[in-house]
Amino acid sequence: MADRSVVISGLPASGKTTYLAALWHLVTAREAKALRFESLRHGDATHLNAIAARWRSARVQDRTPVGSDRLVSMNLVDETGRSVRVTFPDVSGEAFRRMWEDRECEPAIADIIRSGNVLLFVHADTIQAPQWVADVAALSRQLGLPLPEGGEVPWNPRLAPTQVQLVGLLQLLCSPPLDIGPRKLGVVLSAWDKAEGEQLTPEDFIEAKLPLLHQYLRWSGARWLWRAYGVSAQGGDYDSADEKAASLPQANALRALDRPAMRIKLISEGRESNDLTEPLAWLVE
């Protein structure tokens, strides 16, 4: 059974680094309410301060280099003083991609994954939807593009639809040697500012855009007790990582806010907050 620990997971470019940057700002600025900062268990405070500074300056984060040591683990405490361990095993997401593509997991990552409940990140604006062969063929004909005949198209697990990869990843967490029994799962739809125009709740968005994932979670029984969150940790479009590039009006507006935390929006179960520790607190209730 999971202890009071949360594992942050998700495929590459799913919003984990931005969340970590905003979370580090909140807990070090003492603006988080559900949980507060106690100590940094593992990680480089210099790196965390750097990504938080980029977040405050409304600039896109640099891509996390593959193979870099970016394990981050921190202790947070709730209002009763009980400790909660929050771990980002691989901010780049490559560890979770390897689990899906190669069915491999490093022993150290496996130990972390087995330790607690899960916060799963999905980028709401980059979901790779399934494509039907008939639809692709019809579109090719409309565009006047020739259809290859008799040739094989190389396939890679990375080409699978987003929902297939996510369900596959969750199924791996329910299989030996990663299975620890029933767990809580928070599904975070990052870049929620790009999706909220559809006027859907986070759970309804998952049902509409990721129906396979929704069905899997709905009928998983006691395996996963889950909740959906819409999170906009940026608050809008950020300037390029290139500091010489022109600034965007939206980024300028975000930098002008008196409190950077006000750019954060977290939506769940009909309420809005800017406290990114709320999903973590729910996971360890």
Side-chain angles (χ1 to χ4, degrees):
M1 189 67 179
D3 60 19
R4 289 177 59 81
S5 175
V6 177
V7 181
I8 310 298
S9 62
L11 297 169
S14 58
K16 300 183 298 300
T17 301
T18 301
Y19 178 87
L20 175 59
L23 176 67
W24 185 248
H25 168 83
L26 283 179
V27 299
T28 54
R30 305 294 179 182
E31 294 191 64
K33 299 179 178 61
L35 299 173
R36 52 190 172 81
F37 182 68
E38 183 180 46
S39 62
L40 184 63
R41 291 172 58 95
H42 186 101
D44 183 356
T46 301
H47 166 67
L48 293 172
N49 291 334
I51 64 173
R54 293 190 69 81
W55 175 81
R56 285 190 294 269
S57 65
R59 289 199 175 276
V60 173
Q61 297 289 341
D62 293 324
R63 289 295 302 273
T64 307
V66 175
S68 61
D69 181 10
R70 287 291 187 248
L71 172 65
V72 175
S73 182
M74 66 182 77
N75 286 329
L76 305 177
V77 293
D78 62 18
E79 57 185 10
T80 69
R82 293 191 300 169
S83 182
V84 177
R85 184 170 75 252
V86 181
T87 305
F88 294 74
D90 179 359
V91 176
S92 72
E94 288 298 326
F96 299 102
R97 171 171 279 171
R98 285 195 298 273
M99 287 174 59
W100 157 250
E101 294 183 1
D102 303 324
R103 295 301 194 264
E104 293 181 354
C105 183
E106 300 171 13
I109 300 295
D111 289 342
I112 293 170
I113 291 173
R114 283 194 296 261
S115 69
N117 295 311
V118 179
L119 195 63
L120 176 67
F121 278 73
V122 183
H123 197 292
D125 197 40
T126 59
I127 293 172
Q128 184 169 301
Q131 295 186 10
W132 298 99
V133 173
D135 293 338
V136 173
L139 180 60
S140 297
R141 285 192 292 268
Q142 291 175 10
L143 297 175
L145 300 176
L147 293 173
E149 295 183 5
E152 293 185 1
V153 177
W155 187 82
N156 185 287
R158 196 169 301 187
L159 300 176
T162 301
Q163 60 182 344
V164 173
Q165 297 188 45
L166 295 174
V167 170
L169 184 59
L170 291 175
Q171 288 178 325
L172 288 173
L173 297 185
C174 295
S175 303
L178 302 179
D179 185 21
I180 59 172
R183 303 196 221 193
K184 280 186 172 181
L185 171 71
V187 181
V188 172
L189 297 166
S190 63
W192 186 247
D193 53 298
K194 301 292 187 181
E196 61 184 350
E198 300 198 32
Q199 302 297 309
L200 297 172
T201 67
E203 183 172 345
D204 289 342
F205 183 90
I206 293 174
E207 184 175 11
K209 307 297 183 180
L210 300 162
L212 178 65
L213 175 63
H214 187 269
Q215 291 174 32
Y216 168 76
L217 293 174
R218 183 178 179 184
W219 300 108
S220 62
R223 177 64 64 180
W224 294 109
L225 175 60
W226 70 287
R227 182 177 291 182
Y229 297 89
V231 172
S232 175
Q234 290 191 177
D237 292 330
Y238 277 15
D239 285 340
S240 164
D242 181 3
E243 297 187 3
K244 295 181 180 180
S247 293
L248 298 173
Q250 195 170 39
N252 288 330
L254 292 171
R255 282 190 287 267
L257 293 173
D258 292 335
R259 291 177 54 227
M262 297 308 296
R263 72 182 66 170
I264 299 170
K265 181 183 290 187
L266 182 145
I267 305 294
S268 180
E269 302 200 325
R271 60 183 298 271
E272 180 178 329
S273 167
N274 69 344
D275 186 358
L276 294 179
T277 65
E278 288 184 4
L280 306 174
W282 174 78
L283 285 167
V284 296
E285 283 179 351

